Amino acid sequence: MELKRLFLKANNELENSGQGGKDRKVTCRKCQKKNTVTKIRNNNFVCPDCGHYFQVRARRRILMLTDRRSFIEMNRDMKSVNVLGFPEYDDKLRSAMDKSRENEGVICGEAQVDGHKICIFSMDSNFMMGSMGAVVGEKITSLFEYATVRNLPVLGITVSGGARMQEGMISLMQMSKVSAAVKRHSNAGNLYITLLTNPTTGGVDASFAMLGDITLAEPGARIGFAGPRVIEKSLNRSLPKDFQKAERVLECGFIDAIVTRSEQKTYIAKLLKIHGM
Amino acid sequence: MFKNTVNTTDDYAIVLEARSDKRLTASDYIDSMITDFTEFSGDRLFGDDKAVVAGIGFLGKMPITVIGIEKGKNTESRILHNFGSAHPEGYRKALRLMKQAEKFGRPVLCLVDTAGAFCGIDAEERGQGRAIAENLYEMADLKTPMISVVIGEGGSGGALALCHTDRIWMIEDAYFSVVSPESCANILWKDPGRAGEVAGALNLTADKLYKLGLIDKICRKNKMKELSEELKKEFEYLGTLKTEELLEERYLKFRRAGYRSY
């Protein structure tokens, strides 16, 4: 990590309070009410007034869903390269790294949930909208291969705008690559649980997000293939309010259950227990 | 839609040419390469999507399953085929016939020509994402040789859903891209007019993709006989591989795309 970045704070208003002893207040985007960071954090990053789901960073997700100190990260050092020499991509990568203090848009590793050993990947919307380039594809594929050899279940928390345009077809091919690794993991009789969070779209929706044995989603999460603005534009009319919302996607038959943040860990632990993992 | 405002470059000219309505469509390829072509319909789940034309026939003496995305020839047939943009049913019909091919030991040929999977409320609510994902997942270990040929437009996930195959070939003036240059320029700079600029950077032409190792062969355009001979030869070769070898090679083909190769 560059020295400069050691002194940068994670650019997320909910991730850096407590330093200096002052508990800042944050305004909810939905109800405009102010609450202290501590209060929101203790409420699983849900607005205590209106129930709005704040965006949760990838590392925080892992903390929230796994046992304390059980997480061992894999492939943390992998960094993207501007293979195609795409305009402005180098700058975007640098600023994404600064902003997120992560090397890439997904964090992978091994952990435990209520004592059940699992492999976990967690995507980060603060890193170029959680878009999938070669490194994201590689890290998730490696995780599935690792889990296949060891017969471990995989828990995947998705949030993504889709394939990363700046890596062209290399990004698109990651959909195939990860899907094939999921298939091998499944053929070996292993469990794959996905937790879809807001938003899970594009190439991620059209590959590993939709391939879980059990598919869970957060309330209100947008889940879909095409962007709503694209559809609106091509149909020339406005879309129904619940379009691509987790609740509607469940009605359509593509999600097993919608699980609130406070219940997620217990829910997942129960699934692991039933599978005898 | 953005055609006239764009500053054209060579790669962008290829994109525009690939969209041209004078171009050969999947049914032209089927007519000239496949004998006794017999079309089948329906995904057995919801309906029949005419954007995907699929069936069986002979490639030379070889029984084969052919799946093509068809754009249509005139206004009437273009509407019938939804301009080559498939709904989930199209991808599910394709998968159904691939599984049938696996059962009867027929190789599968996919002819890809689509601007992308259809964007619409129905398509979303019937699971466009899931349909594409399921194809990638199931094709990963479908136990029969498969070759896809991008004959015109290779539009993102909607094209990839028929390309998880042992070989990906492209006609020399086809393109294959993660995103259309217009949308890309629009997302990056809010200016679809810069599509020409970004088309080069996307590396979407057959020769660039070949150099990147993402496709396996570039085929000459309008040479049906040559293509048909090449396909026969390649299917014969793939047919000599043991199933485990075939699937391992297919896995590694996609495994190589990305991080470690650069």
Side-chain angles (χ1 to χ4, degrees):
Chain A
M1 195 186 276
E2 288 167 50
L3 190 63
K4 182 185 91 178
R5 266 199 277 142
L6 287 172
F7 299 101
L8 280 169
K9 287 176 179 172
N11 185 12
N12 181 312
E13 53 184 9
L14 293 171
E15 286 295 345
N16 54 357
S17 84
Q19 292 142 350
K22 204 176 164 221
D23 201 0
R24 282 180 308 106
K25 285 198 168 178
V26 169
T27 313
C28 171
R29 253 201 314 186
K30 199 171 159 204
C31 69
Q32 308 299 329
K33 286 195 182 125
K34 285 187 179 184
N35 277 291
T36 62
V37 168
T38 316
K39 201 170 170 192
I40 295 169
R41 236 195 244 180
N42 291 343
N43 199 36
N44 294 307
F45 297 84
V46 179
C47 173
D49 292 304
C50 71
H52 169 71
Y53 273 45
F54 285 93
Q55 199 66 255
V56 180
R57 297 290 309 278
R59 234 166 252 288
R60 175 68 63 177
R61 285 267 180 205
I62 295 173
L63 283 176
M64 287 163 71
L65 293 173
T66 61
D67 301 345
R68 210 175 135 79
R69 293 201 177 136
S70 70
F71 179 65
I72 303 161
E73 187 167 359
M74 287 156 49
N75 292 326
R76 184 177 188 161
D77 298 334
M78 278 191 197
K79 282 183 194 168
S80 291
V81 180
N82 188 1
V83 180
L84 305 182
F86 201 92
E88 298 163 22
Y89 185 34
D90 292 297
D91 294 341
K92 276 188 182 143
L93 278 174
R94 210 170 306 128
S95 85
M97 283 192 241
D98 285 346
K99 187 179 157 203
S100 66
R101 289 207 295 179
E102 299 290 353
N103 285 330
E104 248 303 333
V106 69
I107 296 168
C108 300
E110 237 183 299
Q112 293 188 10
V113 180
D114 265 10
H116 303 282
K117 211 171 172 187
I118 60 157
C119 284
I120 185 167
F121 70 87
S122 177
M123 303 182 83
D124 200 323
S125 61
N126 271 36
F127 200 104
M128 296 187 74
M129 266 315 293
S131 62
M132 171 165 61
V135 171
V136 170
E138 179 67 30
K139 282 175 86 168
I140 299 176
T141 303
S142 302
L143 186 78
F144 272 98
E145 288 174 340
Y146 179 91
T148 306
V149 175
R150 287 161 187 81
N151 284 311
L152 290 171
V154 173
L155 170 63
I157 303 136
T158 62
V159 51
S160 180
R164 190 175 293 169
M165 300 182 306
Q166 289 85 349
E167 290 182 30
M169 278 298 291
I170 300 167
S171 295
L172 196 72
M173 291 284 188
Q174 303 307 310
M175 293 166 62
S176 280
K177 177 164 129 182
V178 180
S179 300
V182 176
K183 180 71 178 167
R184 287 198 160 182
H185 181 255
S186 173
N187 285 353
N190 298 306
L191 172 68
Y192 172 33
I193 302 171
T194 53
L195 174 61
L196 313 181
T197 73
N198 189 39
T200 295
T201 55
V204 169
D205 176 68
S207 60
F208 55 87
M210 278 290 152
L211 293 174
D213 296 298
I214 300 164
T215 307
L216 311 174
E218 287 205 321
R222 197 161 66 72
I223 296 155
F225 178 61
R229 262 170 299 168
V230 181
I231 299 174
E232 220 160 39
K233 213 170 153 192
S234 72
L235 296 183
N236 221 347
R237 68 181 170 104
S238 60
L239 299 165
K241 238 190 166 153
D242 61 351
F243 181 65
Q244 290 184 333
K245 288 281 167 15
E247 292 72 13
R248 176 68 190 146
V249 181
L250 183 136
E251 269 176 15
C252 292
F254 295 98
I255 293 171
D256 288 292
I258 292 170
V259 188
T260 60
R261 274 196 193 147
S262 56
E263 294 172 316
Q264 281 165 6
K265 190 179 174 188
T266 347
Y267 195 100
I268 290 162
K270 184 177 71 182
L271 294 177
L272 293 168
K273 194 175 154 199
I274 295 171
H275 283 82
M277 299 292 182
Chain B
M1 145 173 51
F2 304 115
K3 231 179 201 167
N4 301 324
T5 60
V6 165
N7 166 24
T8 305
T9 58
D10 291 351
D11 286 2
Y12 191 61
I14 287 176
V15 173
L16 296 181
E17 178 54 35
R19 291 173 183 162
S20 150
D21 51 17
K22 289 178 193 76
R23 221 181 149 84
L24 298 178
T25 67
S27 58
D28 295 317
Y29 284 79
I30 294 173
D31 289 347
S32 55
M33 296 196 305
I34 309 295
T35 47
D36 285 343
F37 180 69
T38 311
E39 191 180 342
F40 297 146
S41 310
D43 66 351
R44 303 296 186 269
L45 294 161
F46 180 83
D48 182 45
D49 185 346
K50 299 256 183 283
V52 174
V53 171
I56 57 175
F58 288 104
L59 175 71
K61 287 178 182 151
M62 188 188 291
I64 190 173
T65 291
V66 188
I67 297 160
I69 305 183
E70 173 63 34
K71 284 188 171 174
K73 289 266 158 209
N74 48 42
T75 309
E76 199 183 328
S77 79
R78 276 184 203 115
I79 292 168
L80 178 75
H81 295 291
N82 198 30
F83 302 87
S85 278
H87 283 71
E89 301 79 73
Y91 296 112
R92 291 180 181 132
K93 169 161 79 175
L95 184 59
R96 178 176 80 81
L97 292 179
M98 286 180 209
K99 295 227 164 188
Q100 189 190 67
E102 180 184 46
K103 175 177 172 183
F104 295 106
R106 287 191 288 266
V108 178
L109 170 64
C110 296
L111 299 165
V112 178
D113 187 14
T114 180
F118 187 69
C119 293
I121 297 175
D122 294 356
E124 289 292 318
E125 299 206 326
R126 296 202 294 269
Q128 192 68 283
R130 166 74 191 179
I132 294 170
E134 215 173 350
N135 277 23
L136 301 177
Y137 183 76
E138 296 294 340
M139 288 167 83
D141 64 359
L142 205 91
K143 294 167 194 65
T144 193
M146 296 191 287
I147 298 177
S148 53
V149 186
V150 181
I151 58 171
E153 288 193 89
S156 197
L160 187 72
L162 295 182
C163 287
H164 197 116
T165 46
D166 301 301
R167 299 285 185 267
I168 304 175
W169 293 359
M170 281 177 79
I171 302 296
E172 57 190 340
D173 60 350
Y175 83 91
F176 201 167
S177 181
V178 64
V179 61
S180 78
E182 293 83 359
S183 315
C184 187
N186 194 29
I187 295 166
L188 289 178
W189 304 304
K190 310 235 176 309
D191 181 7
R194 288 172 76 179
E197 218 172 298
V198 90
L202 282 167
N203 283 256
L204 43 68
T205 58
D207 55 335
K208 285 184 178 173
L209 292 170
Y210 185 78
K211 277 184 200 134
L212 286 166
L214 296 174
I215 63 161
D216 304 287
K217 190 183 182 68
I218 302 172
C219 310
R220 293 200 293 166
K221 65 173 172 180
N222 303 334
K223 302 276 182 200
M224 296 291 188
K225 218 173 187 171
E226 188 177 291
L227 178 63
S228 140
E229 288 305 318
E230 287 166 346
L231 283 168
K232 256 186 272 175
K233 226 193 266 169
E234 200 63 20
F235 275 128
E236 271 161 20
Y237 164 71
L238 293 170
T240 63
L241 299 178
K242 287 194 200 110
T243 303
E244 306 85 73
E245 284 175 327
L246 182 76
L247 298 186
E248 183 64 19
E249 260 198 40
R250 193 183 300 157
Y251 186 81
L252 292 175
K253 171 182 167 56
F254 291 95
R255 188 70 188 81
R256 280 191 291 266
Y259 193 71
R260 280 187 192 142
S261 33
Y262 303 106

